[in-house]
Structure formats: structure tokens, C-alpha cells
């Protein structure tokens, strides 16, 4: 299960071979595969599905690529307010506003808006998926059917059944030679790529311990108050999607995946098992399903450990960083947030200035932009580019740690990938009038994890 040191757009690892429910992804593209490229006028047309802050940022990065003409032509969301805000922000942007051509007839509201936006594109164009990730496999299926290149935000799955499904769906994208980027932008960071090479070349010795932290105050919509709005239960959950496991995988999947992914990357492997702890503190009347502190101990096949701490409690020590410890010294993978990484290597395990062996000498480029530069270059040059397998694996490993905390059990990767608890099996059929897959009780509260009591699934 070692990861190969390839370019960021190629698959970096073999998939878990022992899981009977998960087929290994095929070789990226055969030489005889269909040549999918931008339309004949050389303009890559883009549709955005999911007009929140993350989607708006992804569209801005797409339109900022300086590699041939590119144009935003369609928007879709379930909330009109979000769509209008995104359209205003991008169309009035000084640098990219002239690349926005989204009249009202190409602005779509509703659960079927993704299909309508996709239908505005031509084979070889690009669709951005930035909705809550519970919908990812549904949207991806239709994009592949239409022959579109894709950028999807992380995480790409939120439970075991959808992880297996995404790998199976992705085979069709590989067969069609579609280019697919996943929003784990740290993999495109040049300083982290240099650090990876140095670690693999033995500069910190044998890696035996990695540590990752994302400890902050209350974050995004992880803590959700009771619904006192006019929104339906379904719409309210979508608006506060970080609080509900069926939509996002919760705080763990959305907030910790980058640190877990970059640590596993530096180890050049995926862990084989995990046990975790977590709890709910000072919750008041909050109705979400999250714990607000998590601690995970992942174990790799060689016995090395990855320790992950996540917290969203005000007034506590904050840290947002990842580290790798080897027999010779310490590597700082990231220092504070995602960028700049400020990666560096020390002799020994203390970060003393006089023990600094290497750091990045240049100003760091923005990895959010680099991932788009790489994707568009692959489309223009018709080079193999599909990041879904590692996106699924990063998502699954993160969810595995969350599940261990929520059940109080040690879980292996093989056990997780063969699990049958799908949080929202009817998600493809939802409409604005549907009931939510997660229903409140008579007190307006939702099922929460109960470690040690509910052991076989994350919630009832």
C-alpha cells in the first residue's frame, strides 16, 4: 500500500487489496483512450455547482488560470441567496469579471440544478462540485455521463458505501480519459513536494511518528443551534451542513482531512487501523451531531503512528500544523493553516534555529491556484490526470478515525471499507420538498454518537 512519488495529478498509491468490496482503480489512461479536450473554439467553459464560499473561491481560481481562454457560463445552488452572492462577487471582480457570462437563464435553483448547469456545457468542459460532499457521487455520475472534466472539493465521500461507490464510478472517468481534480490542494504545494522528496530520500531517517493538529475555536457550522427560521428541516441542515454527518461527515471529515492527508503523504502510506477518543462539551442547546474534541491514533503497517488532535472549543490552545519525526530529525510539514506551509527540516526533534537543516528559500505560491493551473494544463495538453482514488482514500481514512471516536472501537481500514452504514441512501432522490434523511425527535434533537453503547454504526 505504498504511495509512488509521481506528479500530483497521478495516482500515488495502490489501493487496499484485501477488501472484497473495493476494486482497485485501473491504470490512469491507456494510450488508446478517448481524447477529451476543450471545445473547438479553445474556450474552456465552466459551471459551478454549489455557490458557497468554497465554490466561489474555486471558480475564482479557475478563472484566474493563465492558460488559454476560460469562461464561467452556469451556476447552480439550492439557495437563491448563495447563487446571487456568488454571481455578484465574480461578475464584479476586477480581474476575472469579464470571464463571467451567466445570464439568469443559466442560473439554476434546486436539487436538479446540477443537471441543468451541466447541460450548459460541452464535452471536455469543466464542472466544479462544491456542494456538501454527501452529494458528490450523484453529481459525479452525471458529469461522467456527459463527458465532462471535473473539479470536486474535498472530502469526496463521507462513509464506507459511498467510498466504494466512488471508486467504481471513477473507472468510467478513467475509461473516458476525463481529467479530475480533487480539492486537496496541499498536494500541489511546491514546498511540500520538495519536503516529500527529502523525506523519501532519508533526510530525517526512518519515519516512526507523525503528528497533526487542527485545534481552534468554534468553526463554520460545526455547532448548530435549533432551527428558528422559516427553512424546512432539510434546508436548515444543508445550510449548516458541517453539523450533520449525512451531508459532510461532520467536523472531522471537513476540517481534519488536509492534515491527515498531508501526513499520510509524507509517510508514503495509508494507515491500517485507528482508535480514537472524543467528546461533547459545553453544548447548551446545540443540535448538531459533532463532538467538539477528537483524538486519533492511527497505526501504519510498519507500526509507525499518526496522532491527530482536533478541537473546536473557544478559549483553548490553538494549533494548526503537521509534523513528521524520523530517526535523524524532525520535519515540519505545515506550520499554521494550509498556506504558506513554511515546511522545514531540523537535526533532532527540537525546533532550534541552530539545528535548522533546510527550509524553502522562496516565496510560496498559492496551492489553491496551483491545483487549478495543474488541472487546466492537463486538459490543454491531454495528459493523464485523475485524483479521485487518493481523494477517496484520504476521505475514507479520515472517516475511519471519526467512526472510531463515535463508536469507541478500534477499526481497521479493511473493516471500515466493508461497512454497510450509508448515511443517506436516498440522497439522489431528494427534492426541495423532501424530508431530510436525518429526522429530529420530539424535542427537536438529532441522534448523536454514543461511544461504547452504539458500537456498530456511528449513530442510530
Amino acid at each position: 500500500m505504498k504511495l509512488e512519488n509521481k506528479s500530483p495529478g497521478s495516482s500515488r498509491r495502490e489501493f487496499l487489496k484485501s477488501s472484497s468490496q473495493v476494486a482497485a482503480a485501473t491504470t490512469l489512461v491507456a494510450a488508446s483512450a478517448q481524447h477529451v479536450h476543450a471545445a473547438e473554439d479553445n474556450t474552456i467553459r465552466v459551471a459551478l455547482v454549489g455557490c458557497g464560499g468554497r465554490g466561489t473561491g474555486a471558480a475564482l481560481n479557475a478563472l484566474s488560470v493563465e492558460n488559454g481562454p476560460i469562461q464561467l457560463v452556469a451556476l447552480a445552488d439550492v439557495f437563491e441567496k448563495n447563487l446571487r452572492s456568488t454571481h455578484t462577487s465574480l461578475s464584479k471582480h476586477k480581474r476575472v469579471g469579464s470571464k463571467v457570462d451567466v445570464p439568469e437563464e443559466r442560473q439554476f435553483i434546486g436539487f436538479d440544478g446540477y443537471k441543468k448547469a451541466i447541460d450548459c456545457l460541452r464535452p471536455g468542459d469543466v464542472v466544479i462540485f462544491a456542494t456538501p460532499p454527501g452529494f458528490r457521487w450523484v453529481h459525479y455520475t452525471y458529469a461522467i455521463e456527459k463527458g465532462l472534466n471535473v473539479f470536486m472539493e474535498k472530502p469526496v465521500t463521507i462513509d464506507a458505501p459511498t467510498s466504494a461507490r466512488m471508486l467504481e464510478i471513477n473507472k468510467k472517468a478513467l475509461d473516458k480519459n476525463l481529467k479530475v481534480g480533487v480539492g486537496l490542494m496541499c498536494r500541489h504545494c511546491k514546498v511540500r513536494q520538495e519536503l516529500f522528496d527529502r523525506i523519501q530520500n532519508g533526510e530525517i531517517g526512518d519515519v516512526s511518528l507523525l503528528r497533526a493538529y487542527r485545534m481552534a475555536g468554534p468553526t463554520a457550522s460545526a455547532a448548530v443551534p435549533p432551527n428558528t427560521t422559516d427553512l424546512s428541516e432539510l434546508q436548515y441542515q444543508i445550510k449548516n451542513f458541517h453539523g450533520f454527518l449525512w451531508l459532510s461527515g461532520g467536523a472531522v471529515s471537513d476540517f481534519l482531512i488536509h492534515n491527515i492527508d498531508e501526513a499520510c503523504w509524507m509517510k508514503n502510506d495509508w494507515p491500517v487501523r485507528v482508535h480514537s477518543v472524543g467528546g461533547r462539551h459545553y453544548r447548551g442547546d446545540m443540535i448538531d451531531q459533532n463532538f467538539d474534541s477528537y483524538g486519533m491514533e492511527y497505526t501504519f503497517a510498519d507500526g509507525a503512528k499518526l496522532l491527530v488532535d482536533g478541537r473546536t472549543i473557544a478559549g483553548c490552545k490553538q494549533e494548526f500544523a503537521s509534523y513528521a519525526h524520523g530517526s535523524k530529525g524532525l520535519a515540519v510539514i505545515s506550520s499554521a493553516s494550509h498556506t504558506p506551509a513554511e515546511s522545514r527540516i531540523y537535526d533532532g526533534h527540537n525546533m532550534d534555529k541552530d539545528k535548522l537543516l533546510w527550509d524553502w528559500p522562496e516565496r510560496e505560491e498559492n496551492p489553491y491556484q496551483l491545483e487549478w493551473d495543474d488541472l487546466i494544463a492537463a486538459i490543454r495538453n491531454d495528459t493523464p490526470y485523475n485524483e479521485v482514488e487518493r481523494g477517496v482514500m484520504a476521505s475514507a481514512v479520515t472517516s475511519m478515525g471519526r467512526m472510531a471516536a463515535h463508536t469507541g472501537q478500534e477499526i481497521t481500514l479493511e473493516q471500515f471499507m466493508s461497512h454497510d452504514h450509508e448515511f443517506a441512501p436516498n440522497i439522489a432522490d431528494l427534492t426541495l420538498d423532501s424530508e431530510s434523511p436525518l429526522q429530529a425527535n420530539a424535542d427537536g434533537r438529532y441522534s448523536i454518537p454514543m461511544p461504547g453503547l452504539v458500537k456498530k454504526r456511528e449513530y442510530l
Side-chain angles (χ1 to χ4, degrees):
M1 235 165 41
K2 289 291 183 181
L3 312 179
E4 296 181 21
N5 182 14
K6 297 180 180 179
S7 65
S10 59
S11 175
R12 295 178 183 273
R13 76 249 333 133
E14 297 176 9
F15 184 56
L16 183 68
K17 295 178 180 177
S18 56
S19 174
S20 61
Q21 291 195 8
V22 183
T26 56
T27 306
L28 273 175
V29 184
S32 60
Q34 176 185 359
H35 182 183
V36 178
H37 52 79
E40 291 181 2
D41 65 3
N42 204 36
T43 296
I44 295 176
R45 293 156 60 105
V46 177
L48 171 61
V49 179
C51 297
R54 187 172 296 163
T56 304
L60 175 60
N61 292 136
L63 297 177
S64 299
V65 175
E66 297 179 355
N67 185 0
I70 189 166
Q71 188 175 53
L72 181 67
V73 299
L75 297 171
D77 201 277
V78 295
F79 295 115
E80 183 176 1
K81 181 179 178 180
N82 287 357
L83 190 150
R84 302 295 180 225
S85 176
T86 293
H87 183 262
T88 298
S89 175
L90 294 174
S91 63
K92 295 184 179 300
H93 195 280
K94 291 182 179 179
R95 184 160 42 84
V96 305
S98 62
K99 301 179 182 180
V100 177
D101 180 20
V102 190
E104 286 194 12
E105 59 266 26
R106 292 202 296 270
Q107 300 175 20
F108 306 105
I109 305 297
F111 280 93
D112 61 350
Y114 77 96
K115 286 188 174 181
K116 295 175 180 178
I118 284 174
D119 289 345
C120 295
L121 301 178
R122 303 162 293 191
D125 287 331
V126 179
V127 59
I128 301 170
F129 294 139
T131 64
F135 296 95
R136 202 72 79 237
W137 71 268
V138 179
H139 297 168
Y140 190 35
T141 300
Y142 192 66
I144 295 171
E145 178 185 327
K146 294 297 184 178
L148 296 176
N149 301 304
V150 174
F151 177 85
M152 62 179 76
E153 265 298 350
K154 60 77 195 168
V156 302
T157 64
I158 45 86
D159 56 33
T162 57
S163 296
R165 188 174 302 137
M166 277 291 282
L167 289 173
E168 191 65 29
I169 290 168
N170 191 52
K171 291 179 180 180
K172 298 178 182 178
L174 292 165
D175 289 343
K176 288 188 173 185
N177 190 18
L178 301 177
K179 320 305 179 188
V180 188
V182 171
L184 292 168
M185 69 287 164
C186 296
R187 295 280 187 139
H188 296 260
C189 169
K190 293 182 178 179
V191 61
R192 286 180 177 90
Q193 291 171 359
E194 174 71 16
L195 179 66
F196 172 83
D197 289 341
R198 289 175 177 272
I199 290 175
Q200 299 311 304
N201 289 334
E203 292 193 18
I204 67 169
D206 295 331
V207 177
S208 59
L209 173 67
L210 300 109
R211 298 180 290 123
Y213 305 92
R214 185 163 181 176
M215 300 190 296
T219 305
S221 58
V224 183
N227 183 7
T228 59
T229 73
D230 294 330
L231 295 174
S232 69
E233 187 171 35
L234 175 60
Q235 291 171 328
Y236 189 70
Q237 289 176 16
I238 293 173
K239 182 179 179 181
N240 297 280
F241 66 95
H242 295 111
F244 301 100
L245 295 177
W246 75 271
L247 280 162
S248 65
V252 169
S253 287
D254 203 272
F255 303 152
L256 300 184
I257 186 172
H258 287 295
N259 297 79
I260 291 172
D261 180 57
E262 68 181 5
C264 293
W265 176 25
M266 296 302 155
K267 177 59 179 168
N268 204 28
D269 206 355
W270 296 113
V272 296
R273 65 180 182 273
V274 62
H275 66 85
S276 309
V277 297
R280 291 166 67 89
H281 310 274
Y282 322 128
R283 300 300 292 172
D285 62 353
M286 296 297 173
I287 62 172
D288 59 89
Q289 295 180 289
N290 287 310
F291 291 171
D292 40 26
S293 62
Y294 291 88
M296 307 170 186
E297 181 183 303
Y298 290 94
T299 302
F300 294 90
D302 65 359
K305 304 291 185 180
L306 164 59
L307 307 180
V308 181
D309 287 331
R311 183 168 59 204
T312 55
I313 302 176
C316 299
K317 171 182 165 59
Q318 298 191 6
E319 185 169 9
F320 194 164
S322 303
Y323 308 91
H325 295 266
S327 54
K328 296 179 182 178
L330 165 69
V332 178
I333 303 169
S334 58
S335 300
S337 189
H338 301 310
T339 186
E342 298 182 359
S343 305
R344 51 201 187 275
I345 292 176
Y346 292 92
D347 181 14
H349 299 280
N350 292 318
M351 290 185 285
D352 297 330
K353 290 183 178 180
D354 60 348
K355 297 292 186 178
L356 181 66
L357 298 179
W358 170 82
D359 65 357
W360 188 251
E362 305 168 13
R363 182 178 179 275
E364 294 186 35
E365 296 180 71
N366 184 350
Y368 291 94
Q369 187 59 52
L370 290 172
E371 66 181 349
W372 271 100
D373 293 346
D374 292 342
L375 175 59
I376 297 302
I379 294 170
R380 296 287 188 197
N381 301 326
D382 190 34
T383 54
Y385 197 96
N386 189 302
E387 298 183 325
V388 171
E389 184 188 343
R390 73 163 172 80
V392 169
M393 286 306 302
S395 302
V397 166
T398 303
S399 293
M400 178 176 77
R402 182 199 67 225
M403 184 178 183
H406 286 172
T407 60
Q409 309 304 301
E410 182 176 74
I411 298 175
T412 68
L413 183 56
E414 183 176 357
Q415 288 171 336
F416 175 81
M417 292 302 298
S418 62
H419 204 275
D420 62 359
H421 185 195
E422 184 170 354
F423 296 161
N426 65 335
I427 196 168
D429 301 321
L430 291 178
T431 70
L432 286 174
D433 297 322
S434 298
E435 289 189 345
S436 170
L438 180 69
Q439 293 289 300
N441 62 21
D443 297 324
R445 295 187 174 274
Y446 297 99
S447 176
I448 61 172
M450 295 183 287
L453 297 178
V454 180
K455 302 178 184 181
K456 296 185 181 297
R457 52 196 291 148
E458 293 191 53
Y459 60 94
L460 295 175

